[in-house]
Amino acid sequence: MSTRNVRQRLGCFESVACYIGDLRSLKLIAALVLCLSVTGWAQVPGAPFAASGVGQLPPGKTVRHSQVATPMNAFALRQRMQHSQTSMSETRSTAAAAAGTAAATPGSVQYSYVYINIPNATFIQPNAINDAGLVVGWYLDSSFNYHGFIWQNGTLQYVDHPGALQTNLTGINNLGQIIGLYEDASFNVHAATYSPANSAWSDLPVIPGAWQLYIESAISLDDEGEALGCAASDTLPTELTWIWHPARQTYSYLTSAAAGPGLTCGEALNDFQTVVGFMGTAYDGNPPFLFLGDNLTGYPIVPLPPSLQGSGVAPLGLNNRGTVAGTVYFPSENSVSAFLRNRDGVFSIVNDAAWPQTYLTGVNDFGVLIGDVYDPTTGLSPGFVAYPQGWSASAQHAQ
């Protein structure tokens, strides 16, 4: 199997260029091997972020901060979920392959795929989608430089930080606030929020210590403006999971007792302060593990079903219903697939049957998926938005 020769994060260390990419010259399996061969130890500062209040939340939800007004409470969220009833007509439908036994798994849902194509782009990756259907992401130009984009219902907007060498839009919340990364003229990478209304950028403070951001990094943004991401060490093969709290203007740091020191990387954060990411328990040749949790329950390793045992699992998205979206590599089959995990713990493989490889990067609260597909024969790799059967654009935008 040939993997696409572009960058997409897999969930290993930026310091060793370990993604489902930097794959201009590396295959996916080589990236996994690099992840597993890293040696060294480092302590990360701080402790898991503290919750300031506990509310009455839907099943599977735990805690959210109360420093600022909540834009959408749990009841309103449930109300919005009930508006995805009528069917829509899209480009085409494909059946997703189920990897579980339950009839109501995500894998039993059919999806209509709409592709995101950008003229002269060599690769396109959607990173995040909100409940209004706004998609943010990045694409590579012919010189393999990153540029940001916003997409909604077929309308595309190009977004680059003024004067930046590269720009990557990584997260968007339900208020339309966007977060991303840009590389300045001195090749330093900064995390910054972006307001589409006035095209204004605002840098996050530099993370204390010798930690670096990379243009490929993932940063997630919740409805309170709190951001979660990973930074890499200048000197050690470790990653730091950080959480930015705008109300307090402070950082806190996520660690897990189940992981080896410095081996936890949070990939996505939802509005209930649940975090999903990957971890390594030790440098013992095991692939990265998926973890899911919060500051009350901790961040335990998620058990994988027999069908996924021995695979490399990269969780990249998480919605407010507890659904995890990501990509899985099967060494035994030398193949790549997209997966969903619902809040009941059921895993499903959800692939676009029209393409050899499907990479899933996000899911919103209506179950709309984003990601990209790849054909190693042609080298084509458009982004996509996949709408579940019964999804209604008119009902969604009425909220």
Side-chain angles (χ1 to χ4, degrees):
M1 178 194 71
S2 173
T3 59
R4 50 178 192 219
N5 48 354
V6 290
R7 300 182 183 116
Q8 177 172 337
R9 63 188 185 274
L10 169 63
C12 46
F13 305 108
E14 286 102 331
S15 54
V16 290
C18 235
Y19 287 91
I20 295 180
D22 230 343
L23 292 183
R24 296 188 201 131
S25 59
L26 295 178
K27 292 186 177 181
L28 175 58
I29 183 62
L32 281 171
V33 170
L34 281 173
C35 285
L36 306 181
S37 63
V38 174
T39 58
W41 296 91
Q43 298 294 328
V44 292
F49 49 85
S52 58
V54 180
Q56 190 67 32
L57 303 177
K61 306 300 183 287
T62 53
V63 174
R64 62 178 298 120
H65 290 286
S66 58
Q67 298 102 328
V68 296
T70 302
M72 181 174 65
N73 62 27
F75 175 76
L77 177 60
R78 288 196 296 271
Q79 290 289 94
R80 292 181 69 167
M81 297 305 175
Q82 294 170 2
H83 284 279
S84 301
Q85 301 300 322
T86 58
S87 61
M88 62 171 289
S89 175
E90 287 292 342
T91 53
R92 61 183 174 77
S93 294
T94 60
T101 56
T105 66
S108 65
V109 177
Q110 290 190 345
Y111 293 90
S112 296
Y113 288 82
V114 174
Y115 299 114
I116 300 174
N117 287 291
I118 298 176
N120 302 315
T122 58
F123 176 70
I124 303 163
Q125 182 178 298
N127 276 331
I129 180 171
N130 70 6
D131 288 348
L134 279 163
V135 177
V136 298
W138 56 266
Y139 69 94
L140 293 179
D141 63 20
S142 58
S143 299
F144 297 100
N145 293 316
Y146 284 74
H147 301 276
F149 72 84
I150 303 172
W151 181 97
Q152 186 179 36
N153 298 328
T155 300
L156 187 69
Q157 177 184 353
Y158 301 95
V159 179
D160 278 333
H161 188 283
L165 300 177
Q166 302 189 87
T167 302
N168 176 9
L169 300 185
T170 66
I172 184 169
N173 64 19
N174 288 322
L175 303 181
Q177 299 167 334
I178 294 171
I179 197 163
L181 299 138
Y182 70 92
E183 184 180 69
D184 65 24
S186 299
F187 307 103
N188 297 311
V189 176
H190 308 267
T193 57
Y194 174 72
S195 172
N198 55 13
S199 301
W201 292 85
S202 179
D203 282 15
L204 272 63
V206 175
I207 300 169
W211 297 98
Q212 287 190 357
L213 296 172
Y214 289 80
I215 197 68
E216 303 95 340
S217 299
I219 305 178
S220 179
L221 188 69
D222 71 11
D223 283 352
E224 293 180 0
E226 296 195 330
L228 172 137
C230 278
S233 169
D234 270 342
T235 58
L236 295 169
T238 63
E239 287 198 319
L240 171 72
T241 299
W242 54 266
I243 304 97
W244 167 245
H245 308 277
R248 303 200 301 265
Q249 290 289 296
T250 59
Y251 283 100
S252 60
Y253 306 94
L254 182 154
T255 59
S256 173
L263 294 179
T264 304
C265 183
E267 289 284 343
L269 169 75
N270 70 14
D271 292 336
F272 301 106
Q273 294 300 299
T274 303
V275 173
V276 69
F278 71 91
M279 65 170 65
T281 55
Y283 301 104
D284 58 2
N286 289 324
F289 295 95
L290 184 157
F291 74 85
L292 180 68
D294 54 66
N295 64 303
L296 290 184
T297 63
Y299 305 92
I301 291 174
V302 173
L304 299 179
S307 60
L308 299 184
Q309 291 292 330
S311 61
V313 180
L316 303 177
L318 176 69
N319 68 12
N320 286 322
R321 306 181 81 167
T323 302
V324 178
T327 303
V328 59
Y329 170 68
F330 298 96
S332 60
E333 302 173 11
N334 204 29
S335 64
V336 176
S337 290
F339 78 86
L340 291 173
R341 178 191 184 272
N342 68 17
R343 72 182 184 191
D344 295 323
V346 178
F347 283 81
S348 299
I349 298 299
V350 184
N351 284 332
D352 181 349
W355 291 79
Q357 298 176 22
T358 305
Y359 298 77
L360 198 58
T361 57
V363 55
N364 72 6
D365 296 331
F366 294 93
V368 180
L369 311 178
I370 57 167
D372 54 275
V373 287
Y374 176 57
D375 186 338
T377 302
T378 63
L380 296 176
S381 186
F384 69 77
V385 181
Y387 300 94
Q389 186 177 31
W391 179 88
S392 168
S394 60
Q396 172 172 295
H397 295 301
Q399 297 305 299

